[in-house]
Amino acid sequence: MIKEFREFITKGNVLDLAIAVVMGAAFGKIVSSLVDNIIIPLIEILLGGLNFSSLSFPVGKAVVQYGQFVQAVIDFLIISFAIFIFMKVANSLIRKKQANEEEVLEAVPASEQYLKEIRDLLQRNARQDETL
């Protein structure tokens, strides 16, 4: 069972996920700082000094403070936009790389390409045999 657990932990998917979580947390801090220290003050200037965190309204004896909600919506929109831009850039780089690879593949004779594919399959099979 320990061997299986070690194999599970050392697989690429688990490590990739752990790295993504750490990077996501760091990215979240950067975006929060951008929103709190740059964007919100600029919006407050444009709105005449309106402070989002103090936005509220009374309902009977209770006070509904909705300013933090407005702040969370702004954070969400900025994070979503940043991820959208990041994915557009990443996808364009991936497409460019694939186009370059296709050009290289077209330049290689078909017989060489088949031999490379056979070599790659044999290497994958050898790696799978080692993990078993």
Side-chain angles (χ1 to χ4, degrees):
M1 183 149 71
I2 292 173
K3 180 182 175 187
E4 289 178 37
F5 179 71
R6 183 175 38 124
E7 288 175 5
F8 171 75
I9 292 297
T10 58
K11 283 186 178 178
N13 294 341
V14 175
L15 294 175
D16 291 344
L17 179 61
I19 291 168
V21 168
V22 171
M23 299 269 308
F27 184 71
K29 288 180 182 180
I30 291 169
V31 171
S32 293
S33 177
L34 172 69
V35 170
D36 293 340
N37 300 316
I38 296 173
I39 294 174
I40 294 298
L42 292 174
I43 291 173
E44 290 173 357
I45 290 170
L46 293 173
L47 296 177
L50 178 64
N51 184 352
F52 284 108
S53 62
S54 65
L55 294 177
S56 63
F57 61 89
V59 177
K61 292 184 178 182
V63 176
V64 176
Q65 297 177 333
Y66 63 95
Q68 293 299 324
F69 175 73
V70 171
Q71 177 73 36
V73 169
I74 292 171
D75 285 353
F76 171 76
L77 292 174
I78 291 170
I79 290 170
S80 299
F81 183 72
I83 291 172
F84 171 74
I85 295 298
F86 174 76
M87 291 307 298
K88 275 190 78 71
V89 169
N91 286 336
S92 69
L93 292 175
I94 289 169
R95 275 189 240 113
K96 191 181 294 184
K97 181 180 177 186
Q98 288 174 345
N100 288 341
E101 287 175 355
E102 288 174 5
E103 289 175 8
V104 170
L105 289 177
E106 290 172 2
V108 175
S111 59
E112 283 187 40
Q113 184 59 34
Y114 293 136
L115 290 172
K116 287 180 182 182
E117 290 175 9
I118 292 169
R119 179 200 61 204
D120 293 343
L121 287 171
L122 290 172
Q123 288 175 343
R124 272 190 237 129
N125 288 341
R127 276 187 252 134
Q128 287 176 350
D129 291 343
E130 289 175 2
T131 59
L132 297 177

